[in-house]
Amino acid sequence: MNTAPRKLNLDEWDARYEQLRRSGLPEPAYGGPLRRHVLREKDFRLQHLRFDNSPAALRLWNFLLTENERLHQARAAGHKIVGTMKDLGTVPVMACALPGLRAFYPDGAWWTPCLMECSDQLLQQADRMGLDASFCPVRAMLPAFENGEHFPRPDLLVCSTGAICDDFSAIAQRLEHLGHAILWWEMPRRRQPAAGEAACALPGRLAAPQIQVDCVSAELRRVGRALGDLAGKTLDDDCLAAGIRAANQARRLLDSLRRAVYGAPAAPLPCLEMLVAEMLALHFCSDREEAIAVLGGLLAEVQSRVRRNEFVVSAAAARIFWVNPVADLRAMNLLEELGGRICGSDYMFTHALDLIPENLPPLEALARTALADPMVGPTEDRAARIVRECRANRAEAVVVSRIPGASHCAREGEIILEIVRREIGLPAIEIEIPPVCDAMLPTLGSRLQALVETARARRTG
Ligand code: SF4
């Protein structure tokens, strides 16, 4: 029996879970009530969020919130753990292609202070380690490595360098000085091919000089050798090509999900769950096959809701294009409470949403995709894609959310807003969202409300 889609708070999910359990809900090994993440892992933020009421969303949340636990279990079962930092979506494709390896992003610790409402003390510990609030919340990663209370210490730590932000570069170097050996690989800053220079097309309608693609291919080959040594199996072309096909399976599902949700007349799935689903593209939440199943479940739920003409956010909601992930997940709920819905997104890893070419030598295909990272090229390239997608998705306004202390945000938001206003004339704002935004809610609420009202007023004006 289908239940009308709506958002539930944690208390309501307790009752919903009991109902689902009694009716025989099949659950994966990591299943269970959402409440247990508050009781066991102290994920107190869940008490202030509202979640989609579908079993598919329950599975998504349980998958996300059990990642550290599943990584520890994988290690106990003999798997090797690869900590892959900063590249967002490249090295995990290689690691997952090899048997017995699990890849995760220690960078993901930046959400821990939000989920635990700072009860983990990670930001305070980072302060004491010399990484104060002038750094982005990714600084939580450093004490998480040191205290070992969150993710397992990786057997191999890989980090891209070169065209990366100052924050991450400084934090990763500090990590190495503390004794965590890192395999660095170079990511050049993407540039347009010069006149007469051999050029290469990249996913996302971008281009780069062939010499840059060759450089990244060579670097990834070096990473591949280290991964192969760890797995005890060579990462050859056949093996990597199979890994790319499997990664593309997840990317195709995500693409269908994004089209179905962002293109529907009203939102069939809340933007909070969509943000989490999009994050699965990065490293499959440490389990590629399960990530594919989770995405498949969400897509089936959304398709069924669209067929039934049932939605969680009404068609009257203002269509907002959202740029950058939020440090506090509560902000996603807030937008919908104020009459907005997300109709498109750029959470800083659009290259991980694009299909990896399957008609090229696999290492070159991966290198081209890595070079399409919006964060390694000019902001104008990122803005051009945002403008294109705003047009395609009929966005009515744009929000650029700043991450406190993040060096990449220093000028980028301003440039994106300028281009958006100039090219498509949409109302657009930049807001800063801290890891726990409760104290800022009135200010954030007023600004989002004003944007939503402006967007709606333009419909008739
Ligand atoms: S959020 Fe920005 S500053 Fe922080 S690690 Fe990511 S790119 Fe760097």
Side-chain angles (χ1 to χ4, degrees), residues 347-382:
Y347 294 132
M348 289 172 44
F349 51 83
T350 45
H351 64 303
L353 306 177
D354 292 329
L355 291 182
I356 306 164
E358 293 183 23
N359 58 348
L360 293 171
L363 213 53
E364 172 164 355
L366 207 52
R368 290 195 196 197
T369 309
L371 263 169
D373 183 337
M375 308 311 287
V376 309
T379 303
E380 286 76 8
D381 285 354
R382 190 178 181 201

Side-chain angles (χ1 to χ4, degrees), residues 425-448:
L426 291 183
I429 57 168
E430 188 171 19
I431 52 176
E432 181 162 289
I433 297 174
V436 178
C437 71
D438 295 354
M440 301 282 292
L441 278 179
T443 314
L444 288 174
S446 313
R447 297 203 62 206
L448 287 173

Side-chain angles (χ1 to χ4, degrees), residues 86 136 138 165 167-168 348 375 403 406-408:
K86 199 66 203 89
C136 121
V138 82
C165 61
D167 294 57
F168 208 93
M348 289 172 44
M375 308 311 287
I403 297 158
S407 53
H408 94 261

